[in-house]
Amino acid sequence: MTKIMIVDDEPDLREMIDLMMTKEGFETELAEEGTEFLEKINEFQPDIVTLDVMMPGLTTKEILEKLQKMKNNPKIILLTVVRFSEGEKKKLYEMGNVVDYVAKPFEIDDLMDSIKKFVE
Amino acid sequence: MKDEPYIVKMLREAGKYGRLQSRVTSNIEELDTVEEPSEEVPEKTVGFIDDDVERKSRDDVTKSEGLGETTEESEDRYRLIFENINDEIVYLDKHGKILDVNNRVEDIFGQKREDIIGKNFTKLGFFGIKDLPRMIKLFKDIVMDDKTIDRMELESKHKDGHKIFIDVNIRPIRKNGETEAILCIIRDITERKKKEEELIRFSNAVKMSTDSIVISDLDAKIIDVNEATLQMYGTKDKRDLIGKNSFDLITSEGREKALAGAKEVLEKGYVKGREYHIITEDGDRIPVEMSVSIMKDRDGKPIGFVGLSRDITERKKAEEKIRRQNIKLKRLDRIKSNFLSVTSHELRTPMSAIKGYIQMLLKQRLGDVTPEQKDALDAVLRNTNRLDNLIEAILDISRLESGTMKFLPEQTDISKMIKEVTETMQANTNVKNIKINTELEELPELVIDQQRIKQVLMNLVDNAIKFSPHDSTINLCTKMKKDDVLFEIRDFGRGIPKKTQKKIFERFYQVDSGMDRKFGGVGLGLSISKGIIQAHGGDIWVESTMGKGSTFRFTLPLEPARDIEKKFKDLDIFGLEKK
């Protein structure tokens, strides 16, 4: 079963995505911010992570850097508020792990489509 | 021997015999007539040289011993000298009447020789009006007391009225201890005077200049400085500076630059507007703007440097103030931009949750939904979308204003883009049965932010639908116009009054608030469209006739606007990452 980890500091959004994913039949785990995410990742071993880019604590860059030093290699889908150019996307994907982004406010189908692209 | 000038006689006789004999008695009282000069000075007084003497002397010098020449030859020589001498020579009797004058009078004063011979000098204005009484007194002194006037400079006038300067030398010609005649030599010094005045003017300019002027030799040793230099360096005595090396006046950090500057001066002749700090006598540092040029002698050989320095303390202060203000503004900009970023995140995150739940409910993922519940959820979603659009519009206008809107230019097929827009918009036209006609020229691909331009097109088409009557058409066409692609969106609605046609692109402006309220919207669409089009280097405008409809046009340049990406490339791709 595909394991999805939802990292977002907004409880309602976190739970909405969780509900959506559970209904789709994915196994989920939640984290409120970067440190918690990094702590849980070894145990949960997610395949895909939806990662909010604006959270208290660690910055997205810091999270991605720390993640690269770890054994786990989940695919990261960023939840952003901005659109990215092709060049920026490339830069983003070079940071390792990041495979896609979905700009808020997103339609649930957009997020689901993105996730399904990476479900093996 | 006719026309022989008296001066020739005088020179000749004086040369041969020394002092001339004179029968004429000096009568100074007669000079009083000078005060009120008159044409009626008796001609007889002129003939003060005895005819006999004259004849006798001529006979005596028929053979001039030393030179072996005849009197005539000698006279010719004197005449030649008299006529060709560069100065004006005036020969007067002791009453001031002109007995003879050479031809220079015409050059200097513009007077004809024949017109002035026989006239009293006081009548001729040679010595100017203001100096005349003094000249008359001096003339008396010369005649009575054997005085002379050497190199007296006077202002005079040419016959045509222009001012001239003359240098006057006056000598009495004496015979037997009596003044017999007066010899006056006048030199035109107008040119010299002008040069002198020019020099004085320049020298005053240097002296009075509020900028420091330093003159140094080729070794940079200071030769002279002006008053402003003394003030700038905080000294009262020129000697504190003269003899010093001018580089020593500059702070040690600036010296290398100054040496390079000096090299440049020698190569190019000058350097302009260099900034240095100088050190005053008290050790203070003053910022100056310095220009240095080379000083050359008459032959064009470099002999030194002229350095002009201006105290720019005030300017530097102002610059520093502006710099600080800029830093402050940049910081404010950053705060504003961060605020927008946070606001954007904070508004969108709950919106995502709301929309997500509604969509899940509508898709019946969370259980069955009754038709009534579905209607209610549809209404919630519609209004959520409306709120979402408003939030987007406010964020867009704020980003455009703060220059933080993100543009993602990409190669775009215009016709394809327009088709996509019309397909999307067609759904909104059904209620009024409006048809969207397109007329698309074949166009090259444009590098634009497709999503943003679509936003503009949708905004314009949406407005057109709002204001179109039922069963009408909207025409959308594109064509080339010079180096731009022109987009036209035409409706057959009520039109826009002329006076408000420009205002509709202003923020929050609505042509008719009653009408616009009916259609919703806050009046941001067109001003956002304008911002997006201008960021692309294009322009947007409207033409409209009341009752006949409106045509909105905008252009996009074929050459993509260069700064569009550059302007936003520094933007942090993650936005603000910390709360």
Side-chain angles (χ1 to χ4, degrees):
Chain A
M1 195 190 285
T2 307
K3 287 177 164 184
I4 298 187
M5 195 157 173
I6 300 143
V7 189
D8 204 304
D9 61 314
E10 292 290 331
D12 287 341
L13 193 65
R14 199 166 58 225
E15 271 147 35
M16 190 272 282
I17 299 171
D18 180 30
L19 186 59
M20 203 167 94
M21 298 304 152
T22 318
K23 293 276 170 193
E24 278 301 318
F26 299 126
E27 190 185 341
T28 58
E29 179 61 86
L30 310 180
E32 279 181 36
E33 40 73 50
T35 315
E36 192 191 344
F37 160 57
L38 293 170
E39 275 166 14
K40 285 183 174 175
I41 192 167
N42 277 337
E43 197 186 323
F44 183 64
Q45 306 230 339
D47 302 302
I48 298 166
V49 178
T50 66
L51 180 67
D52 182 30
V53 297
M54 210 187 281
M55 293 185 296
L58 297 176
T59 66
T60 311
K61 205 176 169 194
E62 283 163 354
I63 295 170
L64 293 175
E65 276 166 6
K66 282 181 194 286
L67 191 62
Q68 280 197 302
K69 288 177 195 152
M70 296 167 76
K71 278 183 248 162
N72 285 286
N73 228 359
K75 295 187 170 71
I76 306 272
I77 296 168
L78 294 176
L79 297 189
T80 69
V81 288
V82 288
R83 296 185 297 142
F84 294 128
S85 70
E86 290 303 319
E88 283 166 341
K89 272 190 218 165
K90 211 178 148 206
K91 214 166 118 189
L92 214 60
Y93 299 156
E94 274 168 11
M95 288 174 79
N97 301 79
V98 180
V99 290
D100 201 3
Y101 79 93
V102 176
K104 288 180 192 173
F106 49 82
E107 307 283 322
I108 50 168
D109 288 345
D110 293 344
L111 181 60
M112 202 50 86
D113 288 349
S114 173
I115 287 171
K116 281 180 178 165
K117 269 195 280 183
F118 304 103
V119 174
E120 279 146 23
Chain B
M1 254 327 128
K2 76 171 194 283
D3 275 353
E4 182 186 58
Y6 280 98
I7 188 70
V8 175
K9 271 189 226 162
M10 188 278 293
L11 289 170
R12 174 168 50 77
E13 285 165 9
K16 194 76 190 167
Y17 299 109
R19 296 184 87 84
L20 295 171
Q21 299 292 307
S22 171
R23 297 189 292 125
V24 184
T25 53
S26 168
N27 186 349
I28 295 307
E29 266 60 52
E30 283 182 50
L31 263 176
D32 288 343
T33 60
V34 167
E35 303 280 356
E36 285 180 273
S38 142
E39 289 293 325
E40 287 96 74
V41 178
E43 258 335 336
K44 283 243 160 82
T45 58
V46 177
F48 59 86
I49 293 178
D50 183 17
D51 284 348
D52 290 338
V53 174
E54 197 182 351
R55 206 178 304 117
K56 182 176 176 284
S57 52
R58 209 181 294 153
D59 291 343
D60 284 351
V61 294
T62 304
K63 285 287 174 193
S64 173
E65 288 161 26
L67 295 163
E69 59 186 354
T70 63
T71 310
E72 267 183 40
E73 280 167 345
S74 156
E75 275 168 6
D76 284 348
R77 187 150 50 85
Y78 283 122
R79 170 179 281 277
L80 215 61
I81 295 168
F82 180 68
E83 291 302 346
N84 288 298
I85 200 155
N86 206 29
D87 298 333
E88 181 186 340
I89 299 174
V90 189
Y91 196 55
L92 309 106
D93 73 6
K94 61 182 177 179
H95 306 292
K97 183 169 145 180
I98 293 167
L99 301 176
D100 200 2
V101 66
N102 66 354
N103 270 327
R104 280 287 292 155
V105 75
E106 200 166 336
D107 301 330
I108 300 175
F109 294 102
Q111 310 250 32
K112 289 238 181 293
R113 183 181 184 177
E114 51 270 32
D115 293 343
I116 58 173
I117 287 177
K119 288 191 178 151
N120 197 285
F121 80 86
T122 54
K123 287 230 140 193
L124 296 167
F126 283 178
F127 306 120
I129 308 291
K130 69 174 186 217
D131 288 318
L132 191 60
R134 186 160 68 105
M135 286 310 291
I136 289 166
K137 189 181 174 298
L138 284 169
F139 199 87
K140 276 184 188 176
D141 291 345
I142 292 161
V143 173
M144 282 177 75
D145 303 336
D146 199 18
K147 282 196 177 149
T148 62
I149 290 176
D150 293 305
R151 308 204 56 185
M152 188 163 74
E153 290 183 2
L154 296 169
E155 193 184 309
S156 183
K157 256 189 186 160
H158 189 270
K159 200 183 174 188
D160 67 14
H162 76 257
K163 193 162 83 174
I164 58 171
F165 290 96
I166 52 173
D167 166 302
V168 181
N169 289 278
I170 306 177
R171 297 265 182 289
I173 307 291
R174 293 176 70 88
K175 237 179 195 177
N176 301 333
E178 299 276 351
T179 299
E180 189 192 71
I182 307 289
L183 177 65
C184 174
I185 297 167
I186 299 172
R187 175 169 293 184
D188 182 355
I189 55 162
T190 310
E191 277 311 306
R192 198 193 79 202
K193 263 302 207 210
K194 273 187 192 159
K195 284 218 170 78
E196 269 176 24
E197 276 178 8
E198 199 179 320
L199 270 175
I200 288 166
R201 250 195 329 264
F202 274 115
S203 128
N204 274 338
V206 169
K207 210 168 148 189
M208 301 307 289
S209 164
T210 51
D211 291 341
S212 148
I213 295 169
V214 174
I215 299 168
S216 59
D217 64 15
L218 283 177
D219 296 324
K221 204 169 85 184
I222 297 172
I223 299 167
D224 207 349
V225 298
N226 68 345
E227 193 62 37
T229 309
L230 299 182
Q231 279 180 17
M232 194 186 270
Y233 288 88
T235 171
K236 285 199 169 109
D237 197 338
K238 274 189 183 188
R239 281 172 298 185
D240 289 342
L241 295 171
I242 288 171
K244 268 193 181 173
N245 188 304
S246 43
F247 290 111
D248 290 342
L249 304 181
I250 294 168
T251 55
S252 50
E253 310 94 86
R255 226 159 276 166
E256 205 168 307
K257 192 174 138 197
L259 278 164
K263 206 174 147 225
E264 215 182 314
V265 175
L266 285 170
E267 282 163 5
K268 201 166 72 167
Y270 67 91
V271 291
K272 276 201 261 187
R274 298 291 158 91
E275 289 185 9
Y276 299 103
H277 279 86
I278 56 143
I279 315 166
T280 68
E281 288 285 302
D282 299 334
D284 291 337
R285 292 158 58 97
I286 297 177
V288 297
E289 186 186 272
M290 198 180 288
S291 298
V292 181
S293 46
I294 210 149
M295 208 165 52
K296 290 177 176 171
D297 65 7
R298 246 177 241 268
D299 305 322
K301 209 178 90 194
I303 49 167
F305 300 104
V306 186
L308 195 140
S309 310
R310 173 168 294 178
D311 183 340
I312 52 168
T313 309
E314 289 309 310
R315 198 180 82 193
K316 280 282 163 197
K317 272 187 197 160
E319 279 173 7
E320 179 58 21
K321 205 173 153 192
I322 288 169
R323 202 182 63 83
R324 278 172 199 278
Q325 274 172 347
N326 275 341
I327 291 174
K328 212 170 147 188
L329 281 176
K330 270 189 191 149
R331 212 179 62 221
L332 282 174
D333 249 15
R334 213 162 46 234
I335 290 171
K336 203 160 88 178
S337 162
N338 285 350
F339 172 78
L340 269 171
S341 189
V342 171
T343 313
S344 169
H345 182 263
E346 289 306 291
L347 288 169
R348 279 168 163 168
T349 303
M351 204 52 87
S352 298
I354 296 169
K355 280 172 93 170
Y357 277 118
I358 300 170
Q359 282 165 1
M360 270 193 274
L361 285 168
L362 278 169
K363 284 175 199 277
Q364 312 215 26
R365 300 252 171 96
L366 308 176
D368 290 346
V369 173
T370 66
E372 273 179 335
Q373 284 170 338
K374 190 183 173 292
D375 286 349
L377 286 171
D378 276 335
V380 174
L381 185 60
R382 225 174 20 250
N383 282 282
T384 306
N385 284 338
R386 195 169 143 189
L387 200 58
D388 197 15
N389 289 339
L390 175 62
I391 290 167
E392 284 306 306
I394 291 171
L395 289 173
D396 277 352
I397 205 83
S398 310
R399 282 199 203 92
L400 281 167
E401 274 184 350
S402 61
T404 53
M405 183 173 269
K406 198 171 162 71
F407 289 98
L408 309 176
E410 54 186 323
Q411 285 280 346
T412 304
D413 178 337
I414 300 297
S415 300
K416 197 171 154 234
M417 178 182 73
I418 299 233
K419 274 175 201 144
E420 282 166 17
V421 170
T422 49
E423 272 164 29
T424 314
M425 299 308 287
Q426 200 70 51
N428 301 3
T429 60
N430 295 338
V431 183
K432 283 186 173 179
N433 189 30
I434 289 166
K435 193 171 183 300
I436 301 176
N437 291 329
T438 53
E439 200 180 303
L440 310 170
E441 231 177 54
E442 201 167 310
L443 295 165
E445 289 199 338
L446 288 185
V447 179
I448 52 172
D449 184 329
Q450 202 184 126
Q451 206 169 318
R452 289 290 182 197
I453 297 302
K454 267 186 176 174
Q455 185 185 342
V456 174
L457 282 165
M458 287 201 246
N459 174 239
L460 295 176
V461 174
D462 195 46
N463 282 343
I465 295 170
K466 273 183 199 170
F467 297 105
S468 283
H470 283 263
D471 309 315
S472 66
T473 56
I474 290 167
N475 295 335
L476 210 164
C477 77
T478 54
K479 55 186 158 195
M480 282 303 298
K481 190 193 163 207
K482 283 184 193 167
D483 299 327
D484 297 325
V485 174
L486 177 73
F487 294 75
E488 271 185 23
I489 296 96
R490 185 170 184 202
D491 68 61
F492 297 92
R494 59 177 182 168
I496 301 160
K498 201 149 197 107
K499 61 177 180 185
T500 56
Q501 284 177 13
K502 267 194 181 150
K503 287 187 185 165
I504 58 170
F505 294 101
E506 290 172 13
R507 285 170 308 163
F508 306 111
Y509 189 84
Q510 292 179 324
V511 179
D512 171 345
S513 31
M515 187 79 168
D516 287 321
R517 291 270 32 93
K518 190 175 133 199
F519 293 120
V522 283
L524 285 174
L526 286 176
S527 100
I528 292 167
S529 293
K530 190 181 175 184
I532 291 169
I533 297 300
Q534 285 183 338
H536 278 80
D539 202 4
I540 185 166
W541 68 100
V542 66
E543 277 161 35
S544 182
T545 313
M546 286 308 284
K548 288 194 172 170
S550 308
T551 307
F552 281 83
R553 291 190 175 90
F554 70 88
T555 56
L556 289 175
L558 282 180
E559 277 287 309
R562 278 176 202 288
D563 60 343
I564 183 165
E565 203 160 18
K566 184 177 170 286
K567 197 171 169 185
F568 299 100
K569 80 167 185 201
D570 298 330
L571 199 77
D572 183 355
I573 56 168
F574 295 120
L576 186 77
E577 296 185 352
K578 282 194 181 179
K579 260 190 190 166

